[in-house]
């Protein structure tokens, strides 16, 4: 007979993705239900009790949006409240897993229960599929007493969700992990934790991404800002530069700042981060109200912007939270030392 924490289950939440895909006349598509297959993977000698859940519709993760991510984190909250699990394992497609898991890391930052995302490059049942191994590693990690937070279990490695980016569509280890992640910041301020809890069920504001490239102009940027009222991530050159002076980007950026719309600059580079004070054009961005994202991954920047916006943060409160290290999303060099209130 199990008691206390030993009796708390691992909840397995199936969302779709390659992991559960089956052949169809038009190519691979996710099986709508996976309870039987998951039970076979867990087997008779599970290291912890477990239970199964699934999203209302299994999808290819390429179809996911931040609205879908919002529904997912709300379902995780509901499962935690209903079943009191020791952990939640989310079976998710790899295409948008880094985006989804990063959003969950911020949206569930107040949650004391660890959440582990996993998936596969090949479906269950395919020759040499990585699905069984990835699932068992995720399940054992979840059952073994992880600390709170959101991680990705893949190819025998446990990755911080806020530092991971998908880098291969075929390699068994399909993710790149940004080096130098700082430890999670101080415990979340009580008002922020409460705001995250209260955001459940609320719509996720539309956020967007623009990659700086030669020829990026004011009209293109203005159009992106119009479509992303919740804020924009600007994937800039190097240490945080963009053609501000020559291409007229100042006007749409200034207008965004005046209406309280956040813009966060991250770097396109695989190493290093944004320092808006290093170059004059970077200083121009800062003067126009752009927030430097340090070495945030693009996925973490979008997830942080969406989750904090959903929680109701605006203006200076939002900018301070975007610059702070909340859950280990920033490298030590860029982590904000002043706690947010």
């Amino acid at each position: 007979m199990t008691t206390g924490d030993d009796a708390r289950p691992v909840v397995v939440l199936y969302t779709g993705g390659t992991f559960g895909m089956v052949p169809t006349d038009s190519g691979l598509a996710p099986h709508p239900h996976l309870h039987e297959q998951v039970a076979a993977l867990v087997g008779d000698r599970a290291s912890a009790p477990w239970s199964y859940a699934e999203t209302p519709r299994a999808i290819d993760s390429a179809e996911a949006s931040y609205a879908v991510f919002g529904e997912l984190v709300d379902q995780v909250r509901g499962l935690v409240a209903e079943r009191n699990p020791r952990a939640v394992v989310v079976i998710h497609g790899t295409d948008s897993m880094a985006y989804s898991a990063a959003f969950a890391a911020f949206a569930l930052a107040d949650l004391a229960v660890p959440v582990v995302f996993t998936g596969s490059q090949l479906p269950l049942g395919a020759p040499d599929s990585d699905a069984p191994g990835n699932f068992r590693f995720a399940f054992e990690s979840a059952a073994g007493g992880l600390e709170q937070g959101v991680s990705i279990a893949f190819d025998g490695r446990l990755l911080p969700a806020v530092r991971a980016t998908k880098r291969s569509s075929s390699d068994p280890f399909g993710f790149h992990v940004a080096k130098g992640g700082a430890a999670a910041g101080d415990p979340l301020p009580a008002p922020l934790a409460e705001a995250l809890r209260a955001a459940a069920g609320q719509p996720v504001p539309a956020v967007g991404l623009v990659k700086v490239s030669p020829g990026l102009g004011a009209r293109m940027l203005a159009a992106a800002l119009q479509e992303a009222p919740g804020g924009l991530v600007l994937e800039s050159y190097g240490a945080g530069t963009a053609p501000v002076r020559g291409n007229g980007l100042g006007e749409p950026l200034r207008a965004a700042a005046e209406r309280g719309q956040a813009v966060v600059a991250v770097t396109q580079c695989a190493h290093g981060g944004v320092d808006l004070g290093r170059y004059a054009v970077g200083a121009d961005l800062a003067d126009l109200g752009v927030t430097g994202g340090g070495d945030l991954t693009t996925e973490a920047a979008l997830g942080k912007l969406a989750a904090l916006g959903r929680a109701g943060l605006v203006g200076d409160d939002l900018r301070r939270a975007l610059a702070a290290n909340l859950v280990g999303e920033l490298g030590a060099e860029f982590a904000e030392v002043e706690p947010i209130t």
Side-chain angles (χ1 to χ4, degrees):
M1 177 176 171
T2 57
T3 59
D5 286 347
D6 290 341
R8 297 172 66 196
V10 173
V11 172
V12 178
L13 174 58
Y14 171 61
T15 72
T18 296
F19 189 101
M21 284 192 175
V22 292
T24 72
D25 291 342
S26 56
L28 290 171
H31 194 287
H33 311 291
L34 215 66
H35 193 174
E36 184 177 327
Q37 294 88 333
V38 170
L41 288 173
V42 175
D44 298 329
R45 298 182 179 179
S47 56
W50 70 284
S51 65
Y52 175 84
E54 57 191 32
T55 50
R57 184 172 73 96
I59 63 170
D60 187 313
S61 75
E63 294 186 75
S65 64
Y66 280 93
V68 170
F69 298 161
E71 293 168 358
L72 175 60
V73 298
D74 289 349
Q75 187 170 1
V76 170
R77 281 192 185 276
L79 289 167
V80 169
E82 294 164 10
R83 305 187 189 183
N84 188 31
R86 67 178 71 189
V88 178
V89 172
V90 180
I91 298 174
H92 196 286
T94 59
D95 283 344
S96 62
M97 184 187 293
Y99 294 93
S100 181
F103 173 78
F106 296 107
L108 300 174
D110 63 293
L111 200 67
V113 174
V115 179
V116 182
F117 281 67
T118 195
S120 64
Q121 300 281 44
L122 295 171
L124 275 171
D128 300 318
S129 173
D130 55 334
N134 284 347
F135 174 81
R136 293 190 181 105
F137 175 67
F139 188 93
E140 293 301 322
S141 297
L146 293 174
E147 295 182 2
Q148 73 180 81
V150 180
S151 55
I152 292 173
F154 221 84
D155 195 35
R157 294 176 239 193
L158 202 61
L159 321 173
V162 289
R163 301 290 285 174
T165 298
K166 187 178 179 183
R167 280 290 181 261
S168 175
S169 62
S170 57
D171 192 283
F173 184 60
F175 291 85
H176 167 77
V177 181
K179 295 181 179 180
D186 293 329
L188 287 182
L192 177 55
E194 178 54 37
L196 291 170
R197 285 189 289 270
Q202 297 300 310
V204 181
V207 296
L209 169 67
V210 168
K211 183 169 185 173
V212 173
S213 60
L216 174 65
R219 291 176 62 185
M220 188 183 301
L221 181 58
L225 285 163
Q226 183 176 358
E227 294 297 317
L232 191 75
V233 173
L234 191 66
E235 203 173 75
S236 64
Y237 297 135
T241 64
V244 181
R245 300 181 176 186
N247 287 23
L249 301 185
E251 182 178 345
L253 289 173
R254 185 177 294 107
E258 288 174 353
R259 59 179 175 260
Q261 188 175 13
V263 178
V264 183
V266 300
T267 181
Q268 298 175 20
C269 299
H271 303 288
V274 166
D275 174 7
L276 293 180
R278 186 181 302 181
Y279 296 99
V281 290
D284 287 347
L285 289 173
D287 290 342
L288 290 163
V290 175
T291 299
D295 65 344
L296 280 173
T297 65
T298 296
E299 294 85 347
L302 284 164
K304 191 173 187 179
L305 189 58
L308 295 178
R310 188 192 198 205
L313 274 69
V314 295
D316 290 340
D317 289 340
L318 177 57
R319 282 188 285 273
R320 278 193 294 269
L322 287 170
N325 179 47
L326 301 179
V327 292
E329 67 272 24
L330 290 168
E333 179 184 352
F334 298 95
E336 178 65 62
V337 295
E338 288 292 330
I340 63 171
T341 57

